[in-house]
Short mmCIF file of all heavy atoms in Angstrom, two decimals:
data_model
loop_
_atom_site.label_atom_id
_atom_site.label_comp_id
_atom_site.label_asym_id
_atom_site.label_seq_id
_atom_site.Cartn_x
_atom_site.Cartn_y
_atom_site.Cartn_z
N SER C 190 -6.61 11.08 4.54
CA SER C 190 -6.75 11.62 3.14
C SER C 190 -7.56 12.89 3.15
O SER C 190 -7.20 13.68 2.30
CB SER C 190 -7.40 10.42 2.24
OG SER C 190 -8.70 10.28 2.69
N LYS C 191 -8.47 13.08 4.02
CA LYS C 191 -9.20 14.27 4.13
C LYS C 191 -8.69 15.30 5.07
O LYS C 191 -9.08 16.46 5.06
CB LYS C 191 -10.68 13.95 4.29
CG LYS C 191 -11.31 13.17 3.16
CD LYS C 191 -12.76 13.07 3.41
CE LYS C 191 -13.46 12.34 2.34
NZ LYS C 191 -14.90 12.18 2.34
N GLY C 192 -7.87 14.85 5.89
CA GLY C 192 -7.21 15.77 6.93
C GLY C 192 -8.01 16.29 8.06
O GLY C 192 -7.67 17.35 8.50
N TYR C 193 -8.84 15.47 8.55
CA TYR C 193 -9.64 15.87 9.73
C TYR C 193 -9.91 14.61 10.61
O TYR C 193 -9.58 13.45 10.24
CB TYR C 193 -10.92 16.51 9.41
CG TYR C 193 -11.92 15.63 8.89
CD1 TYR C 193 -12.95 15.07 9.73
CD2 TYR C 193 -12.07 15.23 7.52
CE1 TYR C 193 -13.87 14.11 9.43
CE2 TYR C 193 -13.07 14.48 7.06
CZ TYR C 193 -13.95 13.80 7.99
OH TYR C 193 -14.94 12.93 7.55
N GLY C 194 -10.37 14.87 11.89
CA GLY C 194 -10.69 13.73 12.69
C GLY C 194 -11.28 14.23 14.01
O GLY C 194 -11.77 15.41 14.07
N PHE C 195 -11.56 13.41 14.97
CA PHE C 195 -12.26 13.72 16.24
C PHE C 195 -11.47 13.14 17.38
O PHE C 195 -10.83 12.06 17.40
CB PHE C 195 -13.59 13.10 16.18
CG PHE C 195 -14.67 13.78 15.15
CD1 PHE C 195 -14.73 13.20 13.94
CD2 PHE C 195 -15.21 14.88 15.55
CE1 PHE C 195 -15.55 13.74 12.92
CE2 PHE C 195 -16.13 15.53 14.58
CZ PHE C 195 -16.25 14.93 13.29
N ILE C 196 -11.47 13.85 18.53
CA ILE C 196 -10.84 13.52 19.63
C ILE C 196 -12.03 13.33 20.70
O ILE C 196 -12.89 14.14 20.89
CB ILE C 196 -9.89 14.58 20.21
CG1 ILE C 196 -8.77 14.92 19.22
CG2 ILE C 196 -9.31 14.29 21.63
CD1 ILE C 196 -7.82 15.94 19.44
N ARG C 197 -11.99 12.27 21.43
CA ARG C 197 -12.96 12.03 22.47
C ARG C 197 -12.40 12.55 23.83
O ARG C 197 -11.26 12.13 24.23
CB ARG C 197 -13.20 10.39 22.65
CG ARG C 197 -13.85 10.03 23.87
CD ARG C 197 -15.45 10.22 23.71
NE ARG C 197 -15.92 9.58 22.47
CZ ARG C 197 -16.96 8.96 22.35
NH1 ARG C 197 -17.62 8.64 23.39
NH2 ARG C 197 -17.40 8.47 21.30
N ASP C 198 -12.98 13.71 24.30
CA ASP C 198 -12.50 14.31 25.48
C ASP C 198 -12.63 13.40 26.62
O ASP C 198 -13.67 12.65 26.91
CB ASP C 198 -13.32 15.54 25.75
CG ASP C 198 -12.79 16.45 26.75
OD1 ASP C 198 -12.57 15.97 27.86
OD2 ASP C 198 -12.64 17.73 26.59
N ALA C 199 -11.51 13.29 27.46
CA ALA C 199 -11.54 12.36 28.61
C ALA C 199 -12.55 12.76 29.67
O ALA C 199 -13.12 11.93 30.26
CB ALA C 199 -10.15 12.30 29.23
N LYS C 200 -12.84 14.05 29.97
CA LYS C 200 -13.73 14.57 31.01
C LYS C 200 -15.16 14.39 30.54
O LYS C 200 -16.01 13.92 31.16
CB LYS C 200 -13.35 15.90 31.42
CG LYS C 200 -12.39 16.03 32.37
CD LYS C 200 -12.33 17.51 33.00
CE LYS C 200 -11.04 17.54 33.83
NZ LYS C 200 -10.82 18.97 34.19
N THR C 201 -15.55 15.07 29.45
CA THR C 201 -16.80 15.33 28.96
C THR C 201 -17.33 14.07 28.20
O THR C 201 -18.49 13.99 27.90
CB THR C 201 -17.04 16.45 28.29
OG1 THR C 201 -16.29 16.48 27.06
CG2 THR C 201 -16.54 17.74 28.97
N ARG C 202 -16.50 13.21 27.56
CA ARG C 202 -16.92 12.11 26.67
C ARG C 202 -17.37 12.62 25.37
O ARG C 202 -18.02 11.87 24.60
CB ARG C 202 -17.72 11.17 27.28
CG ARG C 202 -17.25 10.65 28.73
CD ARG C 202 -15.91 10.03 28.73
NE ARG C 202 -15.73 8.77 28.05
CZ ARG C 202 -14.69 8.23 27.65
NH1 ARG C 202 -13.51 8.87 28.00
NH2 ARG C 202 -14.61 7.20 27.03
N ASN C 203 -17.23 13.91 25.05
CA ASN C 203 -17.81 14.45 23.90
C ASN C 203 -16.67 14.45 22.80
O ASN C 203 -15.44 14.43 23.07
CB ASN C 203 -18.17 15.96 23.94
CG ASN C 203 -19.32 16.21 24.88
OD1 ASN C 203 -20.24 15.36 24.89
ND2 ASN C 203 -19.41 17.23 25.45
N ASN C 204 -17.10 14.36 21.58
CA ASN C 204 -16.14 14.28 20.40
C ASN C 204 -15.82 15.81 19.92
O ASN C 204 -16.77 16.50 19.74
CB ASN C 204 -16.70 13.50 19.22
CG ASN C 204 -16.63 11.99 19.39
OD1 ASN C 204 -15.63 11.64 20.03
ND2 ASN C 204 -17.56 11.36 18.90
N VAL C 205 -14.60 16.10 19.84
CA VAL C 205 -14.19 17.49 19.39
C VAL C 205 -13.54 17.28 18.09
O VAL C 205 -12.55 16.52 17.90
CB VAL C 205 -13.17 17.99 20.50
CG1 VAL C 205 -12.81 19.45 20.04
CG2 VAL C 205 -13.85 18.05 21.89
N PHE C 206 -13.88 18.00 17.11
CA PHE C 206 -13.41 18.11 15.75
C PHE C 206 -11.89 18.61 15.73
O PHE C 206 -11.59 19.55 16.56
CB PHE C 206 -14.31 18.90 14.81
CG PHE C 206 -13.69 19.21 13.40
CD1 PHE C 206 -13.91 18.25 12.49
CD2 PHE C 206 -12.98 20.23 13.11
CE1 PHE C 206 -13.40 18.44 11.19
CE2 PHE C 206 -12.45 20.53 11.94
CZ PHE C 206 -12.69 19.50 10.93
N PHE C 207 -11.12 18.10 14.85
CA PHE C 207 -9.84 18.76 14.64
C PHE C 207 -9.46 18.66 13.23
O PHE C 207 -9.91 17.72 12.54
CB PHE C 207 -8.66 18.10 15.64
CG PHE C 207 -8.17 16.79 15.19
CD1 PHE C 207 -7.11 16.56 14.33
CD2 PHE C 207 -8.85 15.64 15.72
CE1 PHE C 207 -6.66 15.36 14.03
CE2 PHE C 207 -8.45 14.39 15.36
CZ PHE C 207 -7.39 14.26 14.44
N HIS C 208 -8.43 19.58 12.71
CA HIS C 208 -8.08 19.60 11.46
C HIS C 208 -6.48 19.29 11.46
O HIS C 208 -5.87 19.52 12.44
CB HIS C 208 -8.25 20.95 10.82
CG HIS C 208 -7.95 20.94 9.30
ND1 HIS C 208 -6.72 21.23 8.77
CD2 HIS C 208 -8.73 20.64 8.17
CE1 HIS C 208 -6.80 21.15 7.45
NE2 HIS C 208 -8.00 20.70 7.05
N VAL C 209 -6.03 18.64 10.44
CA VAL C 209 -4.63 18.24 10.46
C VAL C 209 -3.57 19.33 10.64
O VAL C 209 -2.57 19.24 11.21
CB VAL C 209 -4.31 17.43 9.13
CG1 VAL C 209 -4.37 18.43 7.99
CG2 VAL C 209 -2.97 16.75 9.23
N ASN C 210 -4.02 20.57 10.37
CA ASN C 210 -3.18 21.76 10.53
C ASN C 210 -2.95 22.13 12.02
O ASN C 210 -2.07 22.79 12.34
CB ASN C 210 -3.81 22.95 9.75
CG ASN C 210 -3.76 22.81 8.41
OD1 ASN C 210 -3.02 21.95 7.85
ND2 ASN C 210 -4.47 23.65 7.61
N ASN C 211 -3.79 21.62 12.91
CA ASN C 211 -3.70 21.88 14.33
C ASN C 211 -2.98 20.72 15.06
O ASN C 211 -2.69 20.91 16.25
CB ASN C 211 -5.16 22.01 14.96
CG ASN C 211 -5.85 23.13 14.39
OD1 ASN C 211 -5.22 24.36 14.27
ND2 ASN C 211 -7.05 23.03 14.10
N LEU C 212 -2.37 19.81 14.37
CA LEU C 212 -1.57 18.78 14.86
C LEU C 212 -0.03 19.19 14.90
O LEU C 212 0.49 19.93 14.18
CB LEU C 212 -1.54 17.39 14.16
CG LEU C 212 -3.00 16.75 14.14
CD1 LEU C 212 -2.93 15.52 13.00
CD2 LEU C 212 -3.19 16.11 15.49
N THR C 213 0.51 18.78 16.03
CA THR C 213 2.11 19.15 16.15
C THR C 213 2.94 17.91 15.92
O THR C 213 4.10 17.97 16.12
CB THR C 213 2.35 19.75 17.60
OG1 THR C 213 1.94 18.76 18.61
CG2 THR C 213 1.62 21.04 17.75
N TYR C 214 2.34 16.81 15.52
CA TYR C 214 3.06 15.64 15.26
C TYR C 214 2.32 14.73 14.32
O TYR C 214 1.08 15.04 13.94
CB TYR C 214 3.34 14.81 16.61
CG TYR C 214 1.99 14.09 17.16
CD1 TYR C 214 1.85 12.64 17.01
CD2 TYR C 214 0.96 14.81 17.62
CE1 TYR C 214 0.79 12.13 17.46
CE2 TYR C 214 -0.17 14.21 18.24
CZ TYR C 214 -0.31 12.81 18.06
OH TYR C 214 -1.39 12.23 18.51
N GLN C 215 2.82 13.64 13.78
CA GLN C 215 2.06 12.61 12.89
C GLN C 215 1.17 11.82 13.74
O GLN C 215 1.64 10.90 14.52
CB GLN C 215 3.33 11.69 12.23
CG GLN C 215 2.80 11.03 11.01
CD GLN C 215 2.71 12.02 9.89
OE1 GLN C 215 3.24 13.10 9.90
NE2 GLN C 215 2.14 11.51 8.83
N ALA C 216 -0.05 12.18 13.59
CA ALA C 216 -1.16 11.41 14.49
C ALA C 216 -1.61 10.17 13.88
O ALA C 216 -1.58 9.97 12.61
CB ALA C 216 -2.26 12.38 14.76
N GLN C 217 -2.18 9.24 14.83
CA GLN C 217 -2.88 8.07 14.37
C GLN C 217 -4.07 7.94 15.36
O GLN C 217 -4.16 8.48 16.50
CB GLN C 217 -1.92 6.76 14.75
CG GLN C 217 -0.77 6.83 13.73
CD GLN C 217 0.10 5.68 14.00
OE1 GLN C 217 -0.10 4.80 14.78
NE2 GLN C 217 1.28 5.62 13.21
N GLU C 218 -5.01 7.10 15.03
CA GLU C 218 -6.11 6.71 15.90
C GLU C 218 -5.60 6.10 17.12
O GLU C 218 -4.66 5.45 17.14
CB GLU C 218 -7.21 5.80 15.24
CG GLU C 218 -7.89 6.62 14.08
CD GLU C 218 -9.07 5.80 13.54
OE1 GLU C 218 -9.31 4.61 13.97
OE2 GLU C 218 -9.53 6.23 12.52
N ASN C 219 -6.34 6.32 18.21
CA ASN C 219 -6.05 5.83 19.55
C ASN C 219 -4.84 6.49 20.20
O ASN C 219 -4.51 6.03 21.31
CB ASN C 219 -6.02 4.33 19.54
CG ASN C 219 -7.16 3.55 19.17
OD1 ASN C 219 -8.29 4.00 19.45
ND2 ASN C 219 -7.02 2.65 18.31
N ASP C 220 -4.41 7.51 19.72
CA ASP C 220 -3.28 8.28 20.36
C ASP C 220 -3.79 9.04 21.52
O ASP C 220 -4.97 9.64 21.33
CB ASP C 220 -2.51 9.34 19.33
CG ASP C 220 -1.56 8.60 18.42
OD1 ASP C 220 -1.25 7.40 18.57
OD2 ASP C 220 -1.04 9.30 17.54
N GLN C 221 -3.16 9.08 22.72
CA GLN C 221 -3.64 10.02 23.72
C GLN C 221 -3.04 11.21 23.56
O GLN C 221 -1.77 11.34 23.38
CB GLN C 221 -3.20 9.37 25.13
CG GLN C 221 -3.94 8.08 25.37
CD GLN C 221 -3.79 7.64 26.83
OE1 GLN C 221 -2.98 8.18 27.50
NE2 GLN C 221 -4.45 6.53 27.24
N VAL C 222 -3.94 12.26 23.71
CA VAL C 222 -3.31 13.75 23.23
C VAL C 222 -3.84 14.74 24.38
O VAL C 222 -4.73 14.50 25.09
CB VAL C 222 -3.87 14.07 21.88
CG1 VAL C 222 -3.33 13.16 20.92
CG2 VAL C 222 -5.37 14.09 21.84
N SER C 223 -3.15 15.74 24.38
CA SER C 223 -3.52 16.99 25.04
C SER C 223 -3.91 18.04 24.08
O SER C 223 -3.27 18.14 22.95
CB SER C 223 -2.45 17.55 25.99
OG SER C 223 -2.11 16.61 26.96
#
C-alpha cells in the first residue's frame, strides 16, 4: 500500500531499502531477487 520494502542482502545480511518503481515484476515477501 505504501510502495516500499527491504531486501536482506545474502552476503552482508544488511537490509537494503527499495521502492516499488525499482521492481521489474510483481513482488512478494520472501521472493529471492537479484
Side-chain angles (χ1 to χ4, degrees):
S190 63
K191 294 188 178 180
Y193 74 93
F195 292 94
I196 299 172
R197 170 79 49 139
D198 191 307
K200 276 187 184 174
T201 64
R202 309 304 293 165
N203 292 333
N204 284 327
V205 181
F206 174 84
F207 74 90
H208 191 268
V209 69
N210 293 343
N211 293 316
L212 292 169
T213 58
Y214 75 103
Q215 197 76 9
Q217 296 178 1
E218 286 186 10
N219 299 319
D220 284 351
Q221 292 192 357
V222 294
S223 294

